[in-house]
Amino acid sequence: NPMNPPASPPTAGTDGDAAADSGLVRRAQGGDARAFDQLVTRYRGKVFGMCHHLVQNEQDAWDLAQEAFIKAWRALPSFKLDSTFYTWLYRIAHNCAYDWLRKRRTVSDGEFDEERQRQVAAGAESVPKGSVRSDHTVRNKELGARSTETMSRLTPDQRAVQTPLKVGTSLR
């Protein structure tokens, strides 16, 4: 449901949660698949919820959650415990979902729209509605540069909870 909020971004949990996660991570880094399974069981609902909020499709959200856990398992040897496991996992899942959305948008933007074709008179000489104006492109590049510069001043944990928005979108 689009009205439901996404899974909570990572926040500082209790020390017990972080300590338990750290122990499970260390065991999983040592090859203990059961320890990683416990982490999956602990966080699969939150990861699914965040993915579902972003993609608005249950099956795709489960697929993305699974992809995030597979990527986490493969990257686990390089996880340094500089942040909590959930913060790290949340960022992986968030990136999986955004990559999926970008790919989906690229594919759908390139599809031929027959209805739009019928609405344009033969021989019409006009710029299609929705074309990007050069002044908007320049403004968006400037905003992007400022945003990137501002984000670079945040700590990794602060950056992890930021949700990128496309310029001009609403927070509704």
PDB file of all heavy atoms in Angstrom, residues 113-147:
ATOM      1  N   ASP A 113       5.227   4.141 -27.866  1.00  0.00           N
ATOM      2  CA  ASP A 113       3.882   4.402 -27.372  1.00  0.00           C
ATOM      3  C   ASP A 113       2.981   4.697 -28.572  1.00  0.00           C
ATOM      4  O   ASP A 113       2.981   5.809 -29.110  1.00  0.00           O
ATOM      5  CB  ASP A 113       3.909   5.582 -26.404  1.00  0.00           C
ATOM      6  CG  ASP A 113       2.559   5.845 -25.742  1.00  0.00           C
ATOM      7  OD1 ASP A 113       1.537   5.278 -26.192  1.00  0.00           O
ATOM      8  OD2 ASP A 113       2.536   6.628 -24.777  1.00  0.00           O
ATOM      9  N   GLU A 114       2.201   3.701 -28.989  1.00  0.00           N
ATOM     10  CA  GLU A 114       1.338   3.863 -30.167  1.00  0.00           C
ATOM     11  C   GLU A 114       0.268   4.931 -29.948  1.00  0.00           C
ATOM     12  O   GLU A 114      -0.084   5.652 -30.871  1.00  0.00           O
ATOM     13  CB  GLU A 114       0.675   2.523 -30.520  1.00  0.00           C
ATOM     14  CG  GLU A 114       1.657   1.517 -31.094  1.00  0.00           C
ATOM     15  CD  GLU A 114       0.956   0.240 -31.521  1.00  0.00           C
ATOM     16  OE1 GLU A 114      -0.192   0.303 -31.975  1.00  0.00           O
ATOM     17  OE2 GLU A 114       1.590  -0.811 -31.392  1.00  0.00           O
ATOM     18  N   GLU A 115      -0.262   5.037 -28.739  1.00  0.00           N
ATOM     19  CA  GLU A 115      -1.294   6.037 -28.450  1.00  0.00           C
ATOM     20  C   GLU A 115      -0.741   7.437 -28.663  1.00  0.00           C
ATOM     21  O   GLU A 115      -1.387   8.288 -29.269  1.00  0.00           O
ATOM     22  CB  GLU A 115      -1.811   5.881 -27.014  1.00  0.00           C
ATOM     23  CG  GLU A 115      -2.900   6.871 -26.653  1.00  0.00           C
ATOM     24  CD  GLU A 115      -4.150   6.750 -27.525  1.00  0.00           C
ATOM     25  OE1 GLU A 115      -4.465   5.641 -27.979  1.00  0.00           O
ATOM     26  OE2 GLU A 115      -4.787   7.786 -27.762  1.00  0.00           O
ATOM     27  N   ARG A 116       0.459   7.689 -28.198  1.00  0.00           N
ATOM     28  CA  ARG A 116       1.079   8.999 -28.384  1.00  0.00           C
ATOM     29  C   ARG A 116       1.292   9.255 -29.874  1.00  0.00           C
ATOM     30  O   ARG A 116       1.110  10.365 -30.354  1.00  0.00           O
ATOM     31  CB  ARG A 116       2.405   9.057 -27.618  1.00  0.00           C
ATOM     32  CG  ARG A 116       2.986  10.448 -27.587  1.00  0.00           C
ATOM     33  CD  ARG A 116       4.212  10.521 -26.722  1.00  0.00           C
ATOM     34  NE  ARG A 116       3.826  10.469 -25.325  1.00  0.00           N
ATOM     35  CZ  ARG A 116       4.669  10.399 -24.327  1.00  0.00           C
ATOM     36  NH1 ARG A 116       5.957  10.339 -24.555  1.00  0.00           N
ATOM     37  NH2 ARG A 116       4.246  10.369 -23.086  1.00  0.00           N
ATOM     38  N   GLN A 117       1.683   8.243 -30.624  1.00  0.00           N
ATOM     39  CA  GLN A 117       1.914   8.384 -32.060  1.00  0.00           C
ATOM     40  C   GLN A 117       0.630   8.817 -32.766  1.00  0.00           C
ATOM     41  O   GLN A 117       0.656   9.660 -33.645  1.00  0.00           O
ATOM     42  CB  GLN A 117       2.428   7.066 -32.653  1.00  0.00           C
ATOM     43  CG  GLN A 117       2.622   7.076 -34.150  1.00  0.00           C
ATOM     44  CD  GLN A 117       3.715   8.031 -34.599  1.00  0.00           C
ATOM     45  OE1 GLN A 117       4.646   8.321 -33.854  1.00  0.00           O
ATOM     46  NE2 GLN A 117       3.605   8.533 -35.810  1.00  0.00           N
ATOM     47  N   ARG A 118      -0.522   8.261 -32.375  1.00  0.00           N
ATOM     48  CA  ARG A 118      -1.795   8.599 -33.001  1.00  0.00           C
ATOM     49  C   ARG A 118      -2.209  10.039 -32.711  1.00  0.00           C
ATOM     50  O   ARG A 118      -2.951  10.635 -33.461  1.00  0.00           O
ATOM     51  CB  ARG A 118      -2.894   7.648 -32.526  1.00  0.00           C
ATOM     52  CG  ARG A 118      -2.873   6.339 -33.276  1.00  0.00           C
ATOM     53  CD  ARG A 118      -4.091   5.487 -32.939  1.00  0.00           C
ATOM     54  NE  ARG A 118      -3.558   4.221 -32.474  1.00  0.00           N
ATOM     55  CZ  ARG A 118      -3.795   3.648 -31.312  1.00  0.00           C
ATOM     56  NH1 ARG A 118      -4.628   4.199 -30.471  1.00  0.00           N
ATOM     57  NH2 ARG A 118      -3.237   2.531 -30.966  1.00  0.00           N
ATOM     58  N   GLN A 119      -1.742  10.611 -31.601  1.00  0.00           N
ATOM     59  CA  GLN A 119      -2.135  11.965 -31.221  1.00  0.00           C
ATOM     60  C   GLN A 119      -1.358  13.035 -31.982  1.00  0.00           C
ATOM     61  O   GLN A 119      -1.741  14.190 -31.969  1.00  0.00           O
ATOM     62  CB  GLN A 119      -1.909  12.163 -29.716  1.00  0.00           C
ATOM     63  CG  GLN A 119      -2.824  11.318 -28.857  1.00  0.00           C
ATOM     64  CD  GLN A 119      -2.457  11.411 -27.379  1.00  0.00           C
ATOM     65  OE1 GLN A 119      -1.501  12.065 -27.008  1.00  0.00           O
ATOM     66  NE2 GLN A 119      -3.226  10.723 -26.547  1.00  0.00           N
ATOM     67  N   VAL A 120      -0.275  12.683 -32.638  1.00  0.00           N
ATOM     68  CA  VAL A 120       0.550  13.652 -33.356  1.00  0.00           C
ATOM     69  C   VAL A 120       0.147  13.639 -34.824  1.00  0.00           C
ATOM     70  O   VAL A 120       0.137  12.609 -35.473  1.00  0.00           O
ATOM     71  CB  VAL A 120       2.053  13.310 -33.207  1.00  0.00           C
ATOM     72  CG1 VAL A 120       2.905  14.266 -34.007  1.00  0.00           C
ATOM     73  CG2 VAL A 120       2.443  13.305 -31.746  1.00  0.00           C
ATOM     74  N   ALA A 121      -0.195  14.801 -35.332  1.00  0.00           N
ATOM     75  CA  ALA A 121      -0.598  14.905 -36.734  1.00  0.00           C
ATOM     76  C   ALA A 121       0.607  14.637 -37.628  1.00  0.00           C
ATOM     77  O   ALA A 121       1.737  15.024 -37.313  1.00  0.00           O
ATOM     78  CB  ALA A 121      -1.151  16.292 -37.004  1.00  0.00           C
ATOM     79  N   ALA A 122       0.363  13.974 -38.751  1.00  0.00           N
ATOM     80  CA  ALA A 122       1.436  13.703 -39.705  1.00  0.00           C
ATOM     81  C   ALA A 122       2.050  15.016 -40.153  1.00  0.00           C
ATOM     82  O   ALA A 122       1.343  15.979 -40.450  1.00  0.00           O
ATOM     83  CB  ALA A 122       0.883  12.933 -40.903  1.00  0.00           C
ATOM     84  N   GLY A 123       3.356  15.102 -40.167  1.00  0.00           N
ATOM     85  CA  GLY A 123       4.050  16.300 -40.606  1.00  0.00           C
ATOM     86  C   GLY A 123       4.139  17.396 -39.563  1.00  0.00           C
ATOM     87  O   GLY A 123       4.581  18.497 -39.858  1.00  0.00           O
ATOM     88  N   ALA A 124       3.690  17.124 -38.332  1.00  0.00           N
ATOM     89  CA  ALA A 124       3.741  18.143 -37.283  1.00  0.00           C
ATOM     90  C   ALA A 124       5.186  18.517 -36.993  1.00  0.00           C
ATOM     91  O   ALA A 124       6.062  17.675 -36.969  1.00  0.00           O
ATOM     92  CB  ALA A 124       3.067  17.626 -36.017  1.00  0.00           C
ATOM     93  N   GLU A 125       5.419  19.811 -36.807  1.00  0.00           N
ATOM     94  CA  GLU A 125       6.766  20.293 -36.501  1.00  0.00           C
ATOM     95  C   GLU A 125       6.751  20.947 -35.133  1.00  0.00           C
ATOM     96  O   GLU A 125       6.652  22.158 -35.009  1.00  0.00           O
ATOM     97  CB  GLU A 125       7.226  21.295 -37.560  1.00  0.00           C
ATOM     98  CG  GLU A 125       7.380  20.677 -38.932  1.00  0.00           C
ATOM     99  CD  GLU A 125       7.878  21.675 -39.952  1.00  0.00           C
ATOM    100  OE1 GLU A 125       8.480  22.689 -39.561  1.00  0.00           O
ATOM    101  OE2 GLU A 125       7.648  21.446 -41.135  1.00  0.00           O
ATOM    102  N   SER A 126       6.819  20.132 -34.113  1.00  0.00           N
ATOM    103  CA  SER A 126       6.834  20.670 -32.756  1.00  0.00           C
ATOM    104  C   SER A 126       7.738  19.809 -31.888  1.00  0.00           C
ATOM    105  O   SER A 126       8.019  18.663 -32.200  1.00  0.00           O
ATOM    106  CB  SER A 126       5.425  20.696 -32.160  1.00  0.00           C
ATOM    107  OG  SER A 126       4.941  19.379 -32.023  1.00  0.00           O
ATOM    108  N   VAL A 127       8.182  20.416 -30.827  1.00  0.00           N
ATOM    109  CA  VAL A 127       8.990  19.678 -29.859  1.00  0.00           C
ATOM    110  C   VAL A 127       8.020  18.872 -29.005  1.00  0.00           C
ATOM    111  O   VAL A 127       7.034  19.427 -28.514  1.00  0.00           O
ATOM    112  CB  VAL A 127       9.801  20.653 -28.988  1.00  0.00           C
ATOM    113  CG1 VAL A 127      10.564  19.908 -27.915  1.00  0.00           C
ATOM    114  CG2 VAL A 127      10.716  21.489 -29.850  1.00  0.00           C
ATOM    115  N   PRO A 128       8.254  17.583 -28.857  1.00  0.00           N
ATOM    116  CA  PRO A 128       7.319  16.772 -28.069  1.00  0.00           C
ATOM    117  C   PRO A 128       7.191  17.299 -26.643  1.00  0.00           C
ATOM    118  O   PRO A 128       8.167  17.747 -26.047  1.00  0.00           O
ATOM    119  CB  PRO A 128       7.975  15.386 -28.053  1.00  0.00           C
ATOM    120  CG  PRO A 128       8.953  15.397 -29.163  1.00  0.00           C
ATOM    121  CD  PRO A 128       9.362  16.814 -29.368  1.00  0.00           C
ATOM    122  N   LYS A 129       5.952  17.262 -26.141  1.00  0.00           N
ATOM    123  CA  LYS A 129       5.716  17.663 -24.755  1.00  0.00           C
ATOM    124  C   LYS A 129       6.531  16.728 -23.867  1.00  0.00           C
ATOM    125  O   LYS A 129       6.580  15.533 -24.091  1.00  0.00           O
ATOM    126  CB  LYS A 129       4.231  17.534 -24.427  1.00  0.00           C
ATOM    127  CG  LYS A 129       3.883  18.044 -23.053  1.00  0.00           C
ATOM    128  CD  LYS A 129       2.396  17.965 -22.817  1.00  0.00           C
ATOM    129  CE  LYS A 129       2.081  18.511 -21.445  1.00  0.00           C
ATOM    130  NZ  LYS A 129       0.671  18.345 -21.131  1.00  0.00           N
ATOM    131  N   GLY A 130       7.177  17.280 -22.885  1.00  0.00           N
ATOM    132  CA  GLY A 130       7.989  16.454 -21.994  1.00  0.00           C
ATOM    133  C   GLY A 130       9.460  16.492 -22.348  1.00  0.00           C
ATOM    134  O   GLY A 130      10.274  15.920 -21.656  1.00  0.00           O
ATOM    135  N   SER A 131       9.810  17.173 -23.439  1.00  0.00           N
ATOM    136  CA  SER A 131      11.221  17.304 -23.770  1.00  0.00           C
ATOM    137  C   SER A 131      11.895  18.162 -22.716  1.00  0.00           C
ATOM    138  O   SER A 131      11.305  19.090 -22.178  1.00  0.00           O
ATOM    139  CB  SER A 131      11.407  17.962 -25.139  1.00  0.00           C
ATOM    140  OG  SER A 131      10.938  17.115 -26.140  1.00  0.00           O
ATOM    141  N   VAL A 132      13.129  17.848 -22.423  1.00  0.00           N
ATOM    142  CA  VAL A 132      13.862  18.587 -21.408  1.00  0.00           C
ATOM    143  C   VAL A 132      14.426  19.866 -22.018  1.00  0.00           C
ATOM    144  O   VAL A 132      15.083  19.822 -23.051  1.00  0.00           O
ATOM    145  CB  VAL A 132      15.001  17.719 -20.836  1.00  0.00           C
ATOM    146  CG1 VAL A 132      15.792  18.486 -19.799  1.00  0.00           C
ATOM    147  CG2 VAL A 132      14.441  16.441 -20.249  1.00  0.00           C
ATOM    148  N   ARG A 133      14.133  20.981 -21.389  1.00  0.00           N
ATOM    149  CA  ARG A 133      14.669  22.253 -21.850  1.00  0.00           C
ATOM    150  C   ARG A 133      16.095  22.393 -21.353  1.00  0.00           C
ATOM    151  O   ARG A 133      16.436  21.960 -20.260  1.00  0.00           O
ATOM    152  CB  ARG A 133      13.804  23.398 -21.322  1.00  0.00           C
ATOM    153  CG  ARG A 133      12.425  23.395 -21.920  1.00  0.00           C
ATOM    154  CD  ARG A 133      11.509  24.440 -21.357  1.00  0.00           C
ATOM    155  NE  ARG A 133      12.167  25.580 -20.757  1.00  0.00           N
ATOM    156  CZ  ARG A 133      11.546  26.444 -19.958  1.00  0.00           C
ATOM    157  NH1 ARG A 133      10.269  26.280 -19.682  1.00  0.00           N
ATOM    158  NH2 ARG A 133      12.196  27.460 -19.451  1.00  0.00           N
ATOM    159  N   SER A 134      16.939  23.068 -22.139  1.00  0.00           N
ATOM    160  CA  SER A 134      18.343  23.195 -21.777  1.00  0.00           C
ATOM    161  C   SER A 134      18.533  23.948 -20.470  1.00  0.00           C
ATOM    162  O   SER A 134      19.427  23.632 -19.693  1.00  0.00           O
ATOM    163  CB  SER A 134      19.140  23.843 -22.904  1.00  0.00           C
ATOM    164  OG  SER A 134      18.649  25.149 -23.148  1.00  0.00           O
ATOM    165  N   ASP A 135      17.690  24.960 -20.189  1.00  0.00           N
ATOM    166  CA  ASP A 135      17.838  25.685 -18.932  1.00  0.00           C
ATOM    167  C   ASP A 135      17.517  24.797 -17.733  1.00  0.00           C
ATOM    168  O   ASP A 135      18.124  24.918 -16.674  1.00  0.00           O
ATOM    169  CB  ASP A 135      16.994  26.966 -18.910  1.00  0.00           C
ATOM    170  CG  ASP A 135      15.514  26.709 -19.103  1.00  0.00           C
ATOM    171  OD1 ASP A 135      15.161  25.781 -19.853  1.00  0.00           O
ATOM    172  OD2 ASP A 135      14.700  27.445 -18.515  1.00  0.00           O
ATOM    173  N   HIS A 136      16.577  23.858 -17.909  1.00  0.00           N
ATOM    174  CA  HIS A 136      16.271  22.908 -16.835  1.00  0.00           C
ATOM    175  C   HIS A 136      17.435  21.947 -16.642  1.00  0.00           C
ATOM    176  O   HIS A 136      17.759  21.580 -15.508  1.00  0.00           O
ATOM    177  CB  HIS A 136      15.003  22.125 -17.144  1.00  0.00           C
ATOM    178  CG  HIS A 136      13.758  22.947 -17.044  1.00  0.00           C
ATOM    179  ND1 HIS A 136      12.531  22.451 -17.352  1.00  0.00           N
ATOM    180  CD2 HIS A 136      13.559  24.243 -16.681  1.00  0.00           C
ATOM    181  CE1 HIS A 136      11.617  23.392 -17.182  1.00  0.00           C
ATOM    182  NE2 HIS A 136      12.218  24.485 -16.778  1.00  0.00           N
ATOM    183  N   THR A 137      18.063  21.527 -17.722  1.00  0.00           N
ATOM    184  CA  THR A 137      19.201  20.618 -17.641  1.00  0.00           C
ATOM    185  C   THR A 137      20.334  21.265 -16.856  1.00  0.00           C
ATOM    186  O   THR A 137      20.926  20.649 -15.974  1.00  0.00           O
ATOM    187  CB  THR A 137      19.685  20.228 -19.051  1.00  0.00           C
ATOM    188  OG1 THR A 137      18.601  19.608 -19.746  1.00  0.00           O
ATOM    189  CG2 THR A 137      20.858  19.271 -18.988  1.00  0.00           C
ATOM    190  N   VAL A 138      20.632  22.525 -17.168  1.00  0.00           N
ATOM    191  CA  VAL A 138      21.701  23.243 -16.464  1.00  0.00           C
ATOM    192  C   VAL A 138      21.356  23.382 -14.983  1.00  0.00           C
ATOM    193  O   VAL A 138      22.187  23.116 -14.111  1.00  0.00           O
ATOM    194  CB  VAL A 138      21.944  24.632 -17.108  1.00  0.00           C
ATOM    195  CG1 VAL A 138      22.862  25.472 -16.248  1.00  0.00           C
ATOM    196  CG2 VAL A 138      22.506  24.471 -18.502  1.00  0.00           C
ATOM    197  N   ARG A 139      20.114  23.774 -14.680  1.00  0.00           N
ATOM    198  CA  ARG A 139      19.698  23.932 -13.282  1.00  0.00           C
ATOM    199  C   ARG A 139      19.797  22.601 -12.532  1.00  0.00           C
ATOM    200  O   ARG A 139      20.291  22.560 -11.409  1.00  0.00           O
ATOM    201  CB  ARG A 139      18.268  24.471 -13.210  1.00  0.00           C
ATOM    202  CG  ARG A 139      17.844  24.769 -11.768  1.00  0.00           C
ATOM    203  CD  ARG A 139      16.442  25.275 -11.671  1.00  0.00           C
ATOM    204  NE  ARG A 139      15.551  24.188 -12.058  1.00  0.00           N
ATOM    205  CZ  ARG A 139      14.333  24.356 -12.533  1.00  0.00           C
ATOM    206  NH1 ARG A 139      13.838  25.555 -12.693  1.00  0.00           N
ATOM    207  NH2 ARG A 139      13.593  23.328 -12.861  1.00  0.00           N
ATOM    208  N   ASN A 140      19.359  21.515 -13.171  1.00  0.00           N
ATOM    209  CA  ASN A 140      19.422  20.204 -12.523  1.00  0.00           C
ATOM    210  C   ASN A 140      20.864  19.772 -12.277  1.00  0.00           C
ATOM    211  O   ASN A 140      21.167  19.177 -11.246  1.00  0.00           O
ATOM    212  CB  ASN A 140      18.679  19.152 -13.348  1.00  0.00           C
ATOM    213  CG  ASN A 140      17.182  19.333 -13.270  1.00  0.00           C
ATOM    214  OD1 ASN A 140      16.669  20.041 -12.408  1.00  0.00           O
ATOM    215  ND2 ASN A 140      16.469  18.703 -14.184  1.00  0.00           N
ATOM    216  N   LYS A 141      21.775  20.066 -13.205  1.00  0.00           N
ATOM    217  CA  LYS A 141      23.184  19.721 -13.003  1.00  0.00           C
ATOM    218  C   LYS A 141      23.754  20.511 -11.829  1.00  0.00           C
ATOM    219  O   LYS A 141      24.510  19.980 -11.023  1.00  0.00           O
ATOM    220  CB  LYS A 141      23.994  19.989 -14.273  1.00  0.00           C
ATOM    221  CG  LYS A 141      23.792  18.948 -15.341  1.00  0.00           C
ATOM    222  CD  LYS A 141      24.668  19.227 -16.548  1.00  0.00           C
ATOM    223  CE  LYS A 141      24.410  18.185 -17.625  1.00  0.00           C
ATOM    224  NZ  LYS A 141      25.207  18.440 -18.827  1.00  0.00           N
ATOM    225  N   GLU A 142      23.395  21.786 -11.738  1.00  0.00           N
ATOM    226  CA  GLU A 142      23.871  22.609 -10.624  1.00  0.00           C
ATOM    227  C   GLU A 142      23.336  22.089  -9.297  1.00  0.00           C
ATOM    228  O   GLU A 142      24.077  21.990  -8.316  1.00  0.00           O
ATOM    229  CB  GLU A 142      23.455  24.068 -10.831  1.00  0.00           C
ATOM    230  CG  GLU A 142      24.191  24.764 -11.955  1.00  0.00           C
ATOM    231  CD  GLU A 142      23.599  26.135 -12.296  1.00  0.00           C
ATOM    232  OE1 GLU A 142      22.568  26.521 -11.708  1.00  0.00           O
ATOM    233  OE2 GLU A 142      24.177  26.804 -13.163  1.00  0.00           O
ATOM    234  N   LEU A 143      22.046  21.742  -9.253  1.00  0.00           N
ATOM    235  CA  LEU A 143      21.466  21.190  -8.038  1.00  0.00           C
ATOM    236  C   LEU A 143      22.132  19.871  -7.671  1.00  0.00           C
ATOM    237  O   LEU A 143      22.408  19.603  -6.499  1.00  0.00           O
ATOM    238  CB  LEU A 143      19.959  20.982  -8.203  1.00  0.00           C
ATOM    239  CG  LEU A 143      19.097  22.234  -8.182  1.00  0.00           C
ATOM    240  CD1 LEU A 143      17.661  21.896  -8.565  1.00  0.00           C
ATOM    241  CD2 LEU A 143      19.130  22.887  -6.818  1.00  0.00           C
ATOM    242  N   GLY A 144      22.389  19.040  -8.667  1.00  0.00           N
ATOM    243  CA  GLY A 144      23.045  17.762  -8.430  1.00  0.00           C
ATOM    244  C   GLY A 144      24.435  17.939  -7.857  1.00  0.00           C
ATOM    245  O   GLY A 144      24.838  17.229  -6.933  1.00  0.00           O
ATOM    246  N   ALA A 145      25.182  18.905  -8.385  1.00  0.00           N
ATOM    247  CA  ALA A 145      26.540  19.160  -7.887  1.00  0.00           C
ATOM    248  C   ALA A 145      26.494  19.642  -6.442  1.00  0.00           C
ATOM    249  O   ALA A 145      27.286  19.196  -5.606  1.00  0.00           O
ATOM    250  CB  ALA A 145      27.235  20.187  -8.778  1.00  0.00           C
ATOM    251  N   ARG A 146      25.546  20.543  -6.128  1.00  0.00           N
ATOM    252  CA  ARG A 146      25.425  21.030  -4.755  1.00  0.00           C
ATOM    253  C   ARG A 146      25.011  19.906  -3.808  1.00  0.00           C
ATOM    254  O   ARG A 146      25.505  19.801  -2.694  1.00  0.00           O
ATOM    255  CB  ARG A 146      24.431  22.173  -4.674  1.00  0.00           C
ATOM    256  CG  ARG A 146      25.036  23.492  -5.122  1.00  0.00           C
ATOM    257  CD  ARG A 146      24.132  24.642  -4.807  1.00  0.00           C
ATOM    258  NE  ARG A 146      23.218  24.764  -5.945  1.00  0.00           N
ATOM    259  CZ  ARG A 146      22.137  25.516  -5.981  1.00  0.00           C
ATOM    260  NH1 ARG A 146      21.799  26.214  -4.939  1.00  0.00           N
ATOM    261  NH2 ARG A 146      21.379  25.568  -7.051  1.00  0.00           N
ATOM    262  N   SER A 147      24.100  19.063  -4.273  1.00  0.00           N
ATOM    263  CA  SER A 147      23.643  17.946  -3.453  1.00  0.00           C
ATOM    264  C   SER A 147      24.790  16.980  -3.175  1.00  0.00           C
ATOM    265  O   SER A 147      24.981  16.526  -2.046  1.00  0.00           O
ATOM    266  CB  SER A 147      22.499  17.224  -4.169  1.00  0.00           C
ATOM    267  OG  SER A 147      22.124  16.085  -3.459  1.00  0.00           O
TER     268      SER A 147
END
